[in-house]
Amino acid sequence: MEFDTKIPKSVTSDPLSFASESVRKRWPVILTGTVDDIYKTISQTDDAEKQDEGKRIVEKLGALKYEVEHNKPLTPIVDDGFTDEVAEYNKEVAALGNPPTWHDVPWLFSECYMYRRISTFFSTTKHWKEYDLFYRQKMDTFRTSRNAVLELAARYKEFVTELQSNTDATHNADAEQILFTEMFEVCLWGNATDLSLLTNMTYEDIQKLQGSEARKAAEKNIIANDLPQVYESLRQARAAGKTERRVDFVLDNAGFELWVDLVLGGFLLASGLATQIVLRPKSIPWFVSDVLPADFSGLLNAIQDPRAFFETPSDDDKLQGKTPVPLSDKEVADLEFVFKHWTEAHAEGQLIMRPDRYWTTGGSFWRLPHERPDLLEDLKEAELVIFKGDLNYRKLTGDAWWDATTPYTEAIGPMGPASGANIMSLRTVKADVVVGLPAGKDEELKATPDGGGNTGARKWGWRGKWAVISFSKGH
């Protein structure tokens, strides 16, 4: 806490904030969904001991939901073997008040605390230690993203084949930059499938957020855009003949968003703008949809046998009597091409996964240089570090009420230019904090329908309609 920004943080007691809506409306819905998931899994096992443990987990999830809804105090997290990590969480709970309650606590910390506490419900059991209570939901959402997955698989095969067969394409700067922009925008809007925000969305709503036409229509909604500087930074590194040009992805959501992360990573490798991609997932189930190492293998397994995955009716399909349309031979071939390209890159060490438990600590990244200097040194080795999504943006900026015109390089504090790392945020706006906007833009967006108006609320930033691409050059 001593290293955090002194700008006031977003708190759950602020009625004008998305923090207030989250704790009162979103989190109880999410917790109800976790209970439903555990009951499904209990019904699918005959192991009496596992069933009993599952029922106790359900009781703990129900109790946590009650605490959130009734503004009870935050209690210490039990030690589940990660003693230092738990001690830091509990130290912060103790420092927040006497004691802090759910409806009056810093939003960033309390949300991290909730997921870290849920993790102990599983990590302290015998049969559920490695269980991801969000895995089923993540894979179901990837399945419902089928149209966009197939569209991107076809596009991916086209440009990778062209880049591999036509070396001139790599050096045609205009063509390359256009493709670079398209790939990053695909990756940006893939975040529109954040499962923690899909609690009231239909299948049709999800489809509207994906696909090339939607991306073109959404370009005007990128309200801060440093992408040209990012391209120039990577282009110059390649032109200078740097032998190692690593790009790191501090990952956000699994499913379709991980798919578009890998599409972008594959493009960077095929174009020579990167020589290695490092994926940085979470280590425990986190914020509903965040990537775990198992999500990477789950996605590869899905496209290794795409007919088995996409043509098998989901639970919802079975309830509605629906049968998925069979894939065409071309669609299968496109997916097999993508699978082969990614698995070859993985086998050759060009595409690797590097989890770290630091990504599930409770504080902002203003603390990272002090708490984990070794991790910062690792990030500095990369040519570019892409922080995906809303939570990473909130952590970088301290989840604070910065003036919207504050430069991104200032708002990320010690992770800015002085850090020695090239830091990029790729984020659709789903929280109150936003920086790097032109003067008057915040006011203009507040004046849009349901944008917040004169209330002081930044409601325009709650739904993921707008996006920012921000860059801080550290070397």
Side-chain angles (χ1 to χ4, degrees), residues 199-249:
T199 48
N200 297 309
M201 295 188 84
T202 64
Y203 172 77
E204 287 73 23
D205 291 329
I206 295 172
Q207 289 294 313
K208 287 174 188 173
L209 292 170
Q210 300 167 349
S212 60
E213 291 305 312
R215 290 195 302 276
K216 289 172 187 172
E219 279 185 2
K220 66 182 183 300
N221 292 356
I222 303 174
I223 50 179
N225 195 346
D226 292 338
L227 199 52
Q229 295 95 299
V230 176
Y231 175 71
E232 190 58 23
S233 178
L234 292 178
R235 189 199 64 76
Q236 286 179 0
R238 184 183 61 193
K242 277 193 172 183
T243 53
E244 293 185 11
R245 302 183 300 280
R246 197 181 92 198
V247 174
D248 290 13
F249 287 69

Side-chain angles (χ1 to χ4, degrees), residues 123-281:
S123 58
T124 54
T125 66
K126 177 181 176 183
H127 296 281
W128 298 78
K129 270 188 189 300
E130 304 301 322
Y131 186 79
D132 178 2
L133 73 169
F134 304 122
Y135 185 77
R136 182 185 283 111
Q137 193 178 350
K138 287 185 280 194
M139 292 308 289
D140 283 350
T141 304
F142 183 59
R143 189 180 280 108
T144 62
S145 302
R146 166 176 161 160
N147 291 347
V149 169
L150 295 173
E151 177 191 330
L152 281 174
R155 184 85 177 96
Y156 187 87
K157 184 179 180 181
E158 286 173 12
F159 73 68
V160 169
T161 302
E162 183 178 348
L163 287 168
Q164 289 176 336
S165 62
N166 179 8
T167 54
D168 288 341
T170 307
H171 304 294
N172 182 333
D174 290 340
E176 181 181 74
Q177 187 165 3
I178 290 169
L179 190 53
F180 178 91
T181 301
E182 180 182 346
M183 290 297 102
F184 267 90
E185 288 182 2
V186 165
C187 197
L188 170 69
W189 295 111
N191 183 245
T193 52
D194 181 340
L195 299 188
S196 72
L197 292 168
L198 292 184
T199 48
N200 297 309
M201 295 188 84
T202 64
Y203 172 77
E204 287 73 23
D205 291 329
I206 295 172
Q207 289 294 313
K208 287 174 188 173
L209 292 170
Q210 300 167 349
S212 60
E213 291 305 312
R215 290 195 302 276
K216 289 172 187 172
E219 279 185 2
K220 66 182 183 300
N221 292 356
I222 303 174
I223 50 179
N225 195 346
D226 292 338
L227 199 52
Q229 295 95 299
V230 176
Y231 175 71
E232 190 58 23
S233 178
L234 292 178
R235 189 199 64 76
Q236 286 179 0
R238 184 183 61 193
K242 277 193 172 183
T243 53
E244 293 185 11
R245 302 183 300 280
R246 197 181 92 198
V247 174
D248 290 13
F249 287 69
V250 182
L251 296 169
D252 189 30
N253 298 317
F256 182 71
E257 189 180 341
L258 178 58
W259 173 258
V260 295
D261 291 341
L262 291 165
V263 166
L264 174 57
F267 161 71
L268 293 173
L269 290 174
S271 65
L273 288 165
T275 57
Q276 185 183 50
I277 302 296
V278 175
L279 304 174
R280 296 183 178 273

